[in-house]
């Protein structure tokens, strides 16, 4: 049995990855370590039963004693680190938690990988570390120029990871994923926010002129890329994971509204995000050379995603109350209803 410690496994991509790995590798076991912040959600793992192949532990990646105990107790051979504070707008409101979890927490996991002699650590990073790229595609050798507190904390974590590889030969690899969409994404990110607002005939808040471009990738394609890097990535290297879609916010909102049969008049232009990165775009030749290619087009990815929120109101209705309403009021100056 090959045991992975999947940190942040109750979040959006982490929980999709847990299902992906348990489905693909019958001889793998997964221990999920998750703090269950506002974005962590046990509903994302509710179909899994605790047993020899799956364990859930609530805790903080910054707790070194806990991490090392879990590695020893469960015979963990590799760590895949999804745990992070992840939302740019929240990082603008309150950067401290981002530095604590994304930078210091990653350091704790690197230290456990080194001290316990693990086979591998995969650190999940983001295309946002390149900063705003007006033209062309970012390659893994490009300079890191993060511009938001979120992106800067992710870049800081990467630099520590590479320093561990250089200094201690720690077998760490880094993935830099594009904007990911699919089931179980907390509805503060653009796609689940726009979709759930549209389902309720509420306005879709579009920052500035709506011309900021992102590359939207389906979560299953992102997980397949991480899986490949886990098994075949070269330690000390970064791997871009993007689908090559260039979609701006107005086009994104239009695709969601059209699929749901809702009017474009629901688009509402609001104040821009401070320091808004206007474009991300990735060169994925390095990952493609390992045999990866995305399976879903932008429209397929979008339709599968929007249909999932349409069909799983139970999942998001409960979230869109309480703390979420407080955040929404602070961010948009109004409640969604
Ligand atoms: P998410 O916010 O849905 O999930 C993050 C998870 O980490 C949550 O379950 C949360 O409870 C947990 N967590 C937070 N702090 C923790 C701590 N201190 N200890 C243990 N667990 C903690 O995020 P996501 O969208 O699934 O992103 C996962 C990873 O992928 C992140 O590292 C993010 O930077 C990266 N990423 C995300 C995207 C995207 O579009 N969502 C794109 C590229 C990279
Ligand atoms: P988001 O999902 O927050 O991801 P990113 O980390 O790339 O910013 O936002 C995706 C794009 O949508 C980004 O250009 C910001 C924009 N956006 C809006 O226009 N309105 C919103 O309410 C949100 C959350 C995002």
């Amino acid at each position: 049995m090959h045991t992975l410690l999947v940190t942040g496994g109750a979040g959006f991509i982490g929980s999709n990855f847990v299902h992906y790995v348990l489905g693909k590798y019958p001889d793998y076991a997964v221990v999920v370590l998750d703090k269950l912040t506002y974005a962590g959600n046990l509903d994302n793992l509710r179909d899994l039963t605790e047993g020899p192949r799956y364990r859930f532990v609530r805790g903080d990646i910054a707790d070194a004693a806990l991490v090392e105990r879990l590695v020893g107790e469960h015979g963990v051979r590799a760590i895949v680190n999804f745990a992070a504070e992840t939302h740019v707008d929240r990082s603008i409101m309150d950067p401290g938690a981002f530095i604590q979890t994304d930078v210091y927490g990653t350091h704790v996991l690197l230290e456990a990988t080194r001290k316990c002699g693990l086979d591998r650590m995969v650190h999940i990073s983001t295309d946002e570390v390149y900063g705003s790229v007006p033209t062309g595609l970012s390659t893994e050798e490009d300079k890191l120029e993060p511009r938001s507190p979120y992106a800067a904390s992710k870049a800081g974590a990467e630099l520590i990871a590479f320093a561990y590889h250089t200094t201690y030969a720690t077998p760490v690899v880094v993935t830099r994923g594009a904007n990911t969409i699919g089931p179980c994404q907390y509805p503060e990110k653009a796609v689940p926010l726009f979709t759930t607002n549209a389902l309720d005939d509420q306005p879709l808040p579009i920052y500035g002129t709506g011309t900021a471009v992102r590359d939207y990738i389906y979560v299953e394609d992102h997980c397949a890329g991480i899986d490949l890097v886990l098994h075949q990535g070269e330690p000390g290297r970064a791997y871009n994971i993007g689908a090559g879609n260039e979609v701006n916010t107005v086009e994104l909102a239009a695709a969601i509204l059209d699929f749901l049969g809702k009017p474009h008049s629901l688009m509402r232009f609001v104040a821009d995000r401070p320091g808004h990165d206007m474009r991300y775009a990735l060169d994925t030749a390095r990952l493609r050379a390992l045999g990866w290619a995305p399976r879903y087009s932008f429209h397929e990815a979008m339709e599968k995603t929007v249909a999932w929120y349409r069909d799983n109101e139970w999942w998001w209705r409960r979230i869109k109350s309480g703390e979420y309403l407080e955040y929404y009021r602070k961010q948009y100056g109004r409640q969604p209803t």
Side-chain angles (χ1 to χ4, degrees), residues 70-130:
L70 291 178
V71 167
E73 261 176 27
H74 297 279
V76 168
R77 295 310 318 152
I79 296 176
V80 187
N81 178 32
F82 293 91
E85 290 289 337
T86 62
H87 186 36
V88 173
D89 294 317
R90 295 222 189 213
S91 84
I92 293 169
M93 282 180 193
D94 179 16
F98 287 73
I99 294 159
Q100 170 64 18
T101 288
D102 300 15
V103 183
Y104 184 74
T106 302
H107 153 75
V108 169
L109 299 177
L110 285 160
E111 191 58 16
T113 303
R114 176 174 89 93
K115 272 172 71 178
C116 305
L118 300 192
D119 298 333
R120 177 151 295 217
M121 172 168 157
V122 183
H123 175 66
I124 310 304
S125 191
T126 164
D127 60 2
E128 307 200 18
V129 295
Y130 295 116

Side-chain angles (χ1 to χ4, degrees), residues 42-53:
L42 284 178
D43 280 344
N44 299 349
L45 300 166
R46 70 176 195 157
D47 56 323
L48 300 176
T49 314
E50 292 261 346
R53 293 194 65 212

Side-chain angles (χ1 to χ4, degrees), residues 110 121-123 161-162 164-165 170-174 234-237:
L110 285 160
M121 172 168 157
V122 183
H123 175 66
F162 293 130
Y164 263 68
H165 176 258
T170 303
V172 60
V173 278
V174 169
E234 196 180 312
R237 288 199 127 187

Side-chain angles (χ1 to χ4, degrees), residues 88 128 179 188 190 193 205 207 212 214 216 249 273 276 332:
V88 173
E128 307 200 18
N179 283 57
E188 66 188 352
L193 172 73
Y207 294 156
R214 298 291 187 264
Y216 292 92
T249 322
R273 171 187 282 169
H276 196 167
Y332 300 101

